[in-house]
Amino acid sequence: MAKIVGAIVVDEQKCKGCGICVPACPFAVIELSEEVNGKGYHFAYMHYPEGCTGCMNCAIVCPDGVITVYRTKV
Amino acid sequence: MSTITLEDIIKPENLVYKKTELLTDNVMSYCPGCGHGTAHRITMEVIEEFDLEEKTIGIAPVGCSVLAYEFMNIDMIQAAHGRAPAVATGIKRVYPNKIVFSYQGDGDLAAIGTAETIHACNRGERIVIIFINNGIYGMTGGQMAPTTLPGMISSTSPYGRVVESMGNPLKITELVAQLPGTYFVTRQAVHTPAAVRRTKRAIKKAFENQLTNKPGLSFVEIVSNCNSGWKMTPVDSNIWMEENMFPYYPLGDIKVDGELVKQK
């Protein structure tokens, strides 16, 4: 059976760490990192990448448009 | 599944969503979590989907979004405080074939620009107004706005807004819906994926009305958060907005195709 897998790429330097994407993800894939970017923000990253289906919810709510979404069937 | 690596997924042919080219690469000057960025992005996505980037002129307001022209990669004009609908009127009358929209906050549209807003709506100018309502003057430090809720704390109402002495919050969207010049009036939000999708559909309809030269103005209010002004985290401010803003500013269409859909 075909399975849909996805992945996101976060522009770490532009992410402001607001965390809006974290509750928007239906599979709890995203978390804010322990490290900080150049501006001192805890940027978002894929904490549980196996769960990502590429549904784009995080990218749609991201106020800064820093999330790029990829999706494919395997 | 175990054989699939991230490198197999992250390929150009698998790309399903990226920031639109109509937003510049400048880092937006908004606070983390501010709804302005989302509103900018969906507005530009709609313009891109209609392929209107060559013929759209946007009017930036005064307020947090005063630098909208730095982020929107189309022709923009920055108007004097509150006068964006007047500038949009002038441009639309000189260039009737251009698509004109103004992008304004509540301090601009509902406070200093109330007269321009009401008269542009009443004249039925064929423009789109996108109105971001966060119930506070964000840029100047969180002062009370006409749209501030009763009891809401701001830097000029530190014990909460008292209706007896400070007046009632202004529901300008309901107000302009009563005017015969408006064709489409709606109130939306951008705090969840579902709300963003609905708002994008509303903005699309507003631009479609102007493209097909419908008689009247299209007015899209977006209830948004101001986590810095409200002194909350972005996620908490969205929850607060759902619990407090939405009962007073209910979401949904107010006027569609020139007909009121619900009377308040």
Side-chain angles (χ1 to χ4, degrees):
Chain A
M1 196 185 90
K3 186 175 161 61
I4 292 171
V5 291
I8 61 166
V9 177
V10 180
D11 187 338
E12 290 173 4
Q13 289 306 317
K14 283 189 179 170
C15 177
K16 293 178 183 165
C18 66
I20 301 272
C21 51
V22 176
C25 178
F27 303 104
V29 169
I30 307 174
E31 274 188 22
L32 298 183
S33 68
E34 290 290 313
E35 306 103 80
V36 294
N37 64 14
K39 288 191 170 168
Y41 292 126
H42 295 278
F43 54 85
Y45 77 110
M46 279 206 291
H47 176 67
Y48 167 56
E50 295 80 22
C52 184
T53 60
C55 70
M56 311 194 287
N57 275 6
C58 52
I60 283 172
V61 287
C62 176
D64 293 281
V66 299
I67 301 178
T68 308
V69 185
Y70 298 86
R71 180 173 56 204
T72 188
K73 275 185 191 166
V74 289
Chain B
M1 181 63 203
S2 56
T3 55
I4 290 285
T5 61
L6 279 181
E7 286 72 37
D8 294 328
I9 305 172
I10 301 172
K11 285 179 183 167
E13 63 265 29
N14 296 338
L15 178 76
V16 285
Y17 189 91
K18 72 191 275 278
K19 190 184 81 168
T20 164
E21 296 289 318
L22 292 188
L23 283 176
T24 61
D25 286 334
N26 295 334
V27 178
M28 292 203 199
S29 55
Y30 306 117
C31 304
C34 177
H36 266 306
T38 316
H40 278 26
R41 181 163 45 77
I42 55 178
T43 307
M44 291 300 109
E45 283 174 4
V46 168
I47 291 173
E48 189 179 39
E49 282 168 23
F50 281 128
D51 202 17
L52 289 174
E53 55 265 38
E54 295 289 322
K55 56 183 290 198
T56 305
I57 300 174
I59 320 292
V62 172
C64 288
S65 48
V66 63
L67 293 174
Y69 54 81
E70 291 278 324
F71 315 125
M72 296 181 176
N73 204 0
I74 56 169
D75 292 335
M76 298 285 290
I77 291 179
Q78 201 270 308
H81 203 354
R83 274 62 183 167
V87 174
T89 299
I91 294 171
K92 186 68 182 175
R93 290 190 176 197
V94 174
Y95 296 116
N97 294 328
K98 298 279 185 191
I99 301 299
V100 182
F101 76 96
S102 78
Y103 183 100
Q104 301 175 264
D106 52 336
D108 191 78
L109 183 141
I112 193 168
T114 314
E116 280 74 10
T117 305
I118 288 178
H119 285 294
C121 291
N122 198 35
R123 289 193 305 268
E125 301 297 340
R126 295 173 186 192
I127 58 174
V128 174
I129 293 181
I130 296 167
F131 166 41
I132 311 293
N133 178 7
N134 54 18
I136 209 160
Y137 291 153
M139 185 181 75
T140 49
Q143 289 85 0
M144 187 176 69
T147 46
T148 300
L149 299 176
M152 187 172 161
I153 292 167
S154 69
S155 63
T156 48
S157 59
Y159 304 108
R161 180 174 187 159
V162 182
V163 169
E164 288 74 33
S165 60
M166 302 168 192
N168 290 290
L170 180 60
K171 290 184 175 183
I172 192 137
T173 308
E174 273 84 354
L175 194 70
V176 300
Q178 305 298 323
L179 302 173
T182 48
Y183 189 77
F184 174 57
V185 180
T186 184
R187 181 185 284 122
Q188 302 294 340
V190 288
H191 64 302
T192 60
V196 174
R197 288 191 174 96
R198 276 195 295 272
T199 310
K200 191 173 168 186
R201 273 201 296 275
I203 295 177
K204 209 166 184 172
K205 188 169 169 57
F207 277 92
E208 208 174 335
N209 287 342
Q210 195 183 155
L211 262 175
T212 51
N213 209 18
K214 290 283 185 338
L217 187 143
S218 298
F219 191 101
V220 181
E221 172 178 349
I222 299 173
V223 182
S224 178
N225 59 350
C226 178
N227 44 72
S228 300
W230 297 354
K231 316 287 181 220
M232 294 175 196
T233 65
V235 175
D236 288 348
S237 72
N238 280 342
I239 295 168
W240 190 90
M241 179 171 72
E242 278 184 13
E243 289 170 353
N244 297 280
M245 294 283 276
F246 292 172
Y248 198 83
Y249 298 113
L251 303 188
D253 292 342
I254 299 167
K255 196 176 191 181
V256 177
D257 298 343
E259 300 285 334
L260 286 169
V261 290
K262 59 179 178 185
Q263 215 88 41
K264 276 280 146 190

